[in-house]
Amino acid sequence: MSEQITPTIPAPLAPKEIYGVVGEFDTPEGLLHAAKAMYAEGYTNIDAMSPFAIHGLEDAIGMKRSPLGYIVFAIGLFGMLNALLLQWWTGAVSYPLVIGGKPLFAFEFSIPVTFELTVLFSSFAAVLGMFALNGLPRFHHPAMHYKNFTGVTDDRFLLVIERTDPLFDAEVARQHLIDQGAVDTELVEA
Amino acid sequence: MSSNINGKQYWRSLDELADSPKFHEWLHREFPENASEMLDGGSRRTMLKLMAASFGLAGLTACRRPVERILPNSLGVEDYIPGKSMFYATAYTQNGFASGLLVECHDGRPTKIEGNPKHPYSLGAASALAQGSLLNLYDPDRAKHVMEGARKATWEEFFKAAKQKLDATGGGAGVRILTESSTSPSLAALKKQVMTKYPQAKWVEYESLNRDEIVGGAQLAFGQPLETHYHFDKAAVVVALDSDFLGIDEPTILPTKQFSKRRRILESSGEMNRLYAAESAYTITGAMADHRLRARTADIGLLASALAKEVGVGGELKVLQGNQPAYAKWVTAVAKDLKAHAGKSIVVAGPKQPAAVHALIHAINKQLGNFGETVTFTKLESSEPHVSGLKTLANEMAGSQVRVLLIIGGNPAYTAPTDLDFGANMKRVDFSAYLGEEVNETAASANWALPKTHFLEAWGDARAMDGTATVMQPMIEPLYEGKPAIEVLALLADLKDKRPYDIVHNYWTEQWSAADRERKWRKALHEGTVEGTAYAEVKPASVAAAPALPAAPEGMEVVFRPSASLYDGRFANNPWLQETPDPITKLVWDNAAMVSPATAKSLNVVNGDVLTIQASGREVSTPVMIQPGHAENSVTVALGYGRTRCGHVGTGVGHNVGVIRTSTAFWYAIGAKVTKTSDSYALVTTQEHFSMEGRPLVLEAGLEEYKKHPEFVKGEGEHQELFSLFEEHKYDKGNQWGMVIDLNTCIGCNACLVACIAENNIPVVGKAGVAKGREMHWIRLDRYYVGNSEDPQLVTQPINCQQCESAPCESVCPVAATIHSPEGLNDMAYNRCIGTRYCANNCPYKVRRFNFLDYHKDLQESTKMVHNPNVTVRMRGVMEKCNYCVQRIQETKIAAHADGRRPIRDGEVLTACQQTCPADAIVFGNILDPNSEVAKRKKQDTHYALLAELNTKPRTTFSAKLRNPNPELA
Amino acid sequence: MADVAYQQDLDALNPPLVLGDQSYGKITRDVSEIIERKTPTEWYIAISISSFFAIILLGMLGYLAFTGIGVWGNNSPVFWAWDITNFVFWIGIGHAGTLISAILFLFRQKWRTSINRAAEAMTLFAVACAGIFPLFHTGRPWRAYWLFPIPNLDLNMWQNFRSPLLWDVFAVSTYGTVSAMFWYVGLVPDLATIRDRAVRDGKPIRALIFGVLALGWRGSVRHWQHYEKAYLILAGLSTPLVLSVHTIVSFDFAVSVIPGWHTTIFPPYFVAGAVFSGFAMVMTLMVVSRWALKLKHLVTMKHLENMCKVMLATGSIVGYAYCVEFFTAFFSGNPYERFVFLNRATGPYSWAVITMFTCNVISPQLFWFKKVRTSIPAMFILSIVINIGMWFERFVIIVTSLHRDYLPSSWGYFRPTFVDIFTFIGSVGLFFTLFLLFIRFLPMIAMAEVKGMMAQESMEKQALEQKGAH
């Protein structure tokens, strides 16, 4: 595709109904470059969509680091305590039995189960936490109104300036995107 | 396949696994006509009725009141507490001789046989056979109804028919009555009356394992039949010439009790007896021997005469040919030892040896001055020779001179010498009736087959070898239509007393003054012995000069011996005993021709190859089993197998070697021809590897060595000092149960094994099961050969659960189904077990047994009656093992608690194996109580734990085996 | 000019992981079309064969559950035989997937991307097959739930946490769960791809199904940020987990007192063996599917060669372990240990030991030769040989140790019954059935990851060219 794109200007929409301006790119490099530029322009509510993770993109649009690590650590610890509690309570409190002349509870033989449960809890935390942080499952999202959205999981790269951005102005934003080499842009309804 | 997984196959052959058409055809052919009988609801209802009825009986016999009618239990019975077991005295007879029993009954069902401590010939122990006989009572294949041929008839019809026939004979001409050996005084009395009524009738006794030669020996030596009593507890030196006096050759277990008394040695200062044995095939006596000489059964006579010469018996004596130097050396040493212990020695010969040898034995004992010391004599009830008696009868039958034949007990059609062709000859008798417990070969050849009561069902009496009489009382109403011999005779001869109770009761009470009749009677029932019935000792004036011995020609001999499990075949339909391994070969569900490794090599056979044995012009095919320590040029075969009619379990199991046993070559045949055939046969044993692989399992030492180093066991199985990762549980409170097994006295007789089966409801898995290594016995007797493979020594080690304090099995059970009780027992929670089998893998002693299949699924209702109600019947898929008879421990604890929370006395709890051990080799009790026997044994210097280096801290431990070799033969 | 030459050497050293001139779109198409196109007949043939055996498995298990363990050849002393052998065998195979996704991910091994999806799927299916055996080897499977710490009213009892078998329960179930989550997380972006293609091509049902499965994934940078983090954490957790699982499985033996089992070398030895067998199985599957599904450009010779190298390494570790075991046995001076190993070499089961040794120690050594490493038939055959060998390894460890332990009186011999044999074959059938379903209905190559990897490579290339230009 070449540069000769004449963007169609839609009938003006009431501000509320707008999701944002989407610019479409061909390559991850293009997207990355554009994202950096837009951030430099002072845009803060930028979103980008791509078929795969593009390294450096999140920094490019100034996102905070993911808190997932802390969540997992906390839950993992909780799992470990649970495991120890389970083995101690069942063995030494609820139904004490002399087995093989060994103590009712000992750390030596509690290690494997404790480890496994710690891992189990942490993994659940990681996966569920990730979806929660991503607000998934969410089966509809305004971005899906973009005509070419289905390409985003294939080979399309989108950059969105959201309406909520303080500097948001549909025309300006779109012009910026075009300047950054967007092959196509569109004002997407909410 | 399905038939082998539902557990039913236990009485079948390996064919069933293959499920071959051959097997199917066999199955249908061998089914007894009335086998289907037990499947219909009818007999089950009767069973319940009888059970209910027998509550009353049990209760009333408890207060020693004779009961001949059925009482509804609703009336309530004095002394009877539901669920509480009761013990009644009676006796088990073998060769007619009584050993006293106490039979445990639960709610009117006999469930366990123990020895009667008050009886002189059982002293509290019972043999494997005596205990196994319990299961015969509940055998679903028992003779249940009067049958005339294939027609179901009634007693009335029989008596009507029989009386006609008898009366037709007038004085009883051509009337013959054939019984087993019997010492029953009341039967003897009846016999007199019958004979007076029918003077021309003849009364014949026949046992296939008879004592003709022993009796004949006494006749030769003393000119009169005398019963010889050996007092092994008084003998320092015992020489057993082809005599398994610790095993199957003795009708009672008294000799074992006496022998082990002299064998037991608790500290290094102790003394112990010395046993020499000369025999062809290994017996448990040979296994106990300090010096065992392999000799053909036919050569034993030679040894006896050589021995006689050495000890200075005068007379015409054979000397050893130069070709037996080993014999000569042995004989001189033994003779020397005997002379050194004159008056304190015993020379004994077995029933297989000819009368002449026995006469010689008497001469030797006389010469050694053992008479009156270790050897005494009493009179003998009946001295009629069995074999010749039966032979005459058979000839008469063949000559059609017999018009009425009444066979009481036994199974002559199967056990009679094959040349008498007894079964066929029975057909020539115009009226023959067989009164027996089984539907067997004899029943098949008789016109009338009559059901006989089991000895636990009927009144009767019997004498012990010393004459002491026991009144046998019924424990349960007859399960079927059976009648005891005395009743049938009384009814036939139409005598005064017809009811068994009256016959026995009146016989005895009439001998007592009217005053204390009933008291004495009740006492007799209670004690299990009738006081003052023992014979007076007879002191034989002189011993005739030793007679000439029959020559013992060279060549292959075939020796017939009783089966350790089936005796003469009477237990063939008894699954407990079928699955009781032979004490030496560990063979189950089969017999085999035993030969020495050298003979096997010369025949070029391996275990399981089928041999054809030709002897006395007949031949039999039987699989071979190589038996280290067996004499050369000798084949030993066990009788009692290959039954053609005895019920589901035993029919067609093993090979009937009786077909080459003739009245002339009754115990052994010389000049046999043994040839290898191309077939082979699956022999199944409970143990496949007989070497200890140099591992310190059975620790053994010579007496002298032991006296030098009393601590010798410490040296064995060395290991570094043991420590544990954890602070271990302290077992320092209450009762802490422990067991010590004395390997020095254990003879490996299987009594404990059968006791355990009966006490703990242990299932039978059948030949196919054992072949897969799935036998369920909670206690097993491990058998190891020590020394060279031609002539090794043998050791036995009973292994039950070792009740480890740090039990490897417990730690690995994921669901805590096996755990430790506060009293140090390694408990199994059957209902928690999910059957991972991890515990069994991790048990170094491999004592855990797994219910691979549902082994109880196809038990007949009648067989279920034998179960001990205090022990769970385990379901499929769970693990089980010895628990020191925890049910007995609990029972005692409850009793102790009931009478004032007193502590349990030492010896108050007896495990089943311990209680019945004829050698008193098992000691059990509280190890925390320093005065308990078990605690003392655990301090003994020969005491050791098996695989101690694993730090499992077993509660079951052992005292090392000792032997007392003669330095001159070492 | 120079830079071109430079680039060629570089390729020789490190051949590209995606061959030919690939665009993101083409990768999407190549992978997605496998599941979009009409089901090929070969697939029907394959699955009918494998599911036939899977049904046999069902039959055998039913028969077993209704009649008892007695239908197997297990006996005393060999209380465990093929049941646990199969369990360890399958669990072992189940190690490659997670290893590839997790450990290679942490080591930034780019080549994993084309094979990790299939490998993870294989892991799941192997674990599923493995799970069957501990469950059904119990005498009373209807009570097997007692293995889990569920408060129960019938006995009010709890589990015994000293038992390695219980550790197993926790290890295996955790491993199964975590691998499943790991796999699913990896799938989500690709599920979204299928969803969107379905929407575009107007396939409402497929769009709906995959729409639900994709949970509304839209590839937003915010998603990717948390996603990458989660993936990293999962990889970090799975790495010790995958090592722990076979370690704990080995404890079943190492913690016992039975000579031949009671060995400290087991954990590393088992893990190496697991990776070894796992890679062999991945190899078997990949070789077939890359050919059948025309993915040679995505699963390249380089991938296969790398796997061969891994097998060579782990195979050698296993061989080393065998030797060390023997040495230790003799060096220890413990007569029982000595006997067990002597008995393995010379006893009634020596045939099994020889098979094991040839397959596991000798055959992988062929991978030293590049010719072998790069010949498809060779590596295919070897991968199967290795799997056979690894099955025998477990058989040897379990059965030869049990059949002759401390007391010679209770020695025995194990023979399998037809039920043993068909249960194992059936489990293989189940495994392949599941795998066939997977390649038919789910993207068997991680598109998002491959694309990401391509993008990275191309960026690196550009950087390189700029450098070269100077």
Side-chain angles (χ1 to χ4, degrees), chain A residues 120-152:
Chain A
L120 187 64
F121 276 67
S122 316
S123 315
F124 271 109
V127 175
L128 301 181
M130 184 267 284
F131 284 122
L133 291 169
N134 287 343
L136 296 178
R138 171 177 180 179
F139 293 104
H140 182 272
H141 188 275
M144 295 176 179
H145 289 146
Y146 176 62
K147 59 177 182 307
N148 216 354
F149 176 78
T150 54
V152 82

Side-chain angles (χ1 to χ4, degrees), chain B residues 335-469:
Chain B
K336 195 151 168 244
D337 206 5
L338 282 172
K339 279 186 280 186
H341 295 85
K344 296 196 301 304
S345 56
I346 290 176
V347 180
V348 57
K352 294 199 280 298
Q353 288 305 313
V357 174
H358 288 274
L360 206 48
I361 297 304
H362 290 305
I364 297 173
N365 280 323
K366 171 88 176 167
Q367 178 68 26
L368 291 168
N370 293 337
F371 282 15
E373 300 295 327
T374 57
V375 185
T376 59
F377 301 90
T378 59
K379 76 173 173 128
L380 190 61
E381 270 305 322
S382 115
S383 58
E384 290 303 314
H386 287 204
V387 179
S388 53
L390 192 69
K391 193 166 191 169
T392 337
L393 174 59
N395 295 338
E396 291 168 341
M397 284 155 63
S400 310
Q401 301 150 15
V402 181
R403 294 161 64 187
V404 177
L405 174 64
L406 175 58
I407 302 173
I408 296 173
N411 182 11
Y414 168 78
T415 59
T418 169
D419 56 332
L420 306 190
D421 209 357
F422 198 87
N425 284 332
M426 277 176 72
K427 301 262 191 318
R428 301 162 155 278
V429 178
D430 53 8
F431 183 89
S432 61
Y434 169 63
L435 175 68
E437 288 171 43
E438 301 185 309
V439 182
N440 58 16
E441 296 82 349
T442 312
S445 342
N447 310 131
W448 289 82
L450 315 170
K452 185 168 174 290
T453 49
H454 185 273
F455 75 94
L456 294 173
E457 286 177 328
W459 288 96
D461 52 9
R463 286 184 187 280
M465 290 175 105
D466 70 347
T468 311

Side-chain angles (χ1 to χ4, degrees), chain B residues 695 774 782 812 837-838, chain C residues 72 75 137 163 252 406 409:
Chain B
R695 301 175 179 185
R774 293 175 180 173
D782 288 355
V812 298
R837 306 187 297 291
Y838 196 174
Chain C
W72 283 344
N75 59 33
H137 97 292
S163 166
D252 282 343
Y406 289 101
S409 65

Side-chain angles (χ1 to χ4, degrees), chain B residues 908-948:
Chain B
E908 198 175 353
V909 187
L910 296 174
T911 65
C913 50
Q914 169 192 24
Q915 179 168 8
T916 206
C917 179
D920 300 307
I922 303 177
V923 181
F924 172 82
N926 176 3
I927 57 174
L928 287 187
D929 167 8
N931 308 322
S932 70
E933 184 61 21
V934 69
K936 292 194 192 110
R937 294 294 187 92
K938 282 186 186 275
K939 284 193 207 64
Q940 226 182 313
D941 43 21
T942 56
H943 168 265
Y944 74 98
L946 189 57
L947 302 176

Side-chain angles (χ1 to χ4, degrees), chain B residues 11 61 92 124 259 384 476 538 579 711 734 777 951:
Chain B
W11 45 270
T61 34
Y92 167 78
F259 180 81
E384 290 303 314
I476 183 171
V538 180
E579 198 154 302
E711 301 281 299
H777 301 145
N951 204 16

Side-chain angles (χ1 to χ4, degrees), chain B residues 5 691 695 772-774 782 810-814 816 831 833-838 841-842 846 852 875-876 949, chain C residues 65-66 70-72 74-76 79-80 83 137 139-140 146 157 160 163 252 256-258 405-406 408-409:
Chain B
I5 6 114
S691 150
R695 301 175 179 185
K772 273 186 146 56
R774 293 175 180 173
D782 288 355
E810 291 175 356
S811 309
V812 298
C813 175
N831 57 344
C833 178
I834 61 173
T836 66
R837 306 187 297 291
Y838 196 174
N841 285 337
N842 207 27
K846 287 287 172 282
F852 283 95
M875 79 181 294
R876 177 252 289 195
E949 66 269 35
Chain C
F66 278 101
V71 302
W72 283 344
N74 301 38
N75 59 33
S76 170
F79 288 92
W80 282 352
D83 43 6
H137 97 292
R140 304 197 296 165
W146 277 348
M157 279 182 80
N160 167 20
S163 166
D252 282 343
S256 81
V257 300
I258 300 304
D405 67 346
Y406 289 101
S409 65

Side-chain angles (χ1 to χ4, degrees), chain A residues 47-52 55 63-64 66 90 94-95 103-104 109 115-116 123 134 136-138 141 153-154, chain C residues 28 156-158 161-162 178 181 193 196 211 215-216 218-221 223-226 228 241 244 248 448 451:
Chain A
D47 191 0
M49 292 170 217
S50 55
F52 51 82
H55 293 282
M63 283 179 63
K64 281 193 244 65
S66 166
T90 56
S94 167
Y95 204 140
L104 298 176
F109 56 69
F115 171 79
E116 297 300 331
S123 315
N134 287 343
L136 296 178
R138 171 177 180 179
H141 188 275
T153 56
D154 179 0
Chain C
T28 316
N156 286 308
M157 279 182 80
W158 294 101
F161 287 94
R162 298 159 191 76
V178 173
M181 288 195 292
T193 307
D196 293 347
L215 302 174
R218 61 180 192 283
S220 154
V221 63
H223 290 185
W224 282 120
Q225 187 205 14
H226 298 306
E228 295 255 290
L241 177 63
S244 80
I248 288 175
K451 292 180 202 163

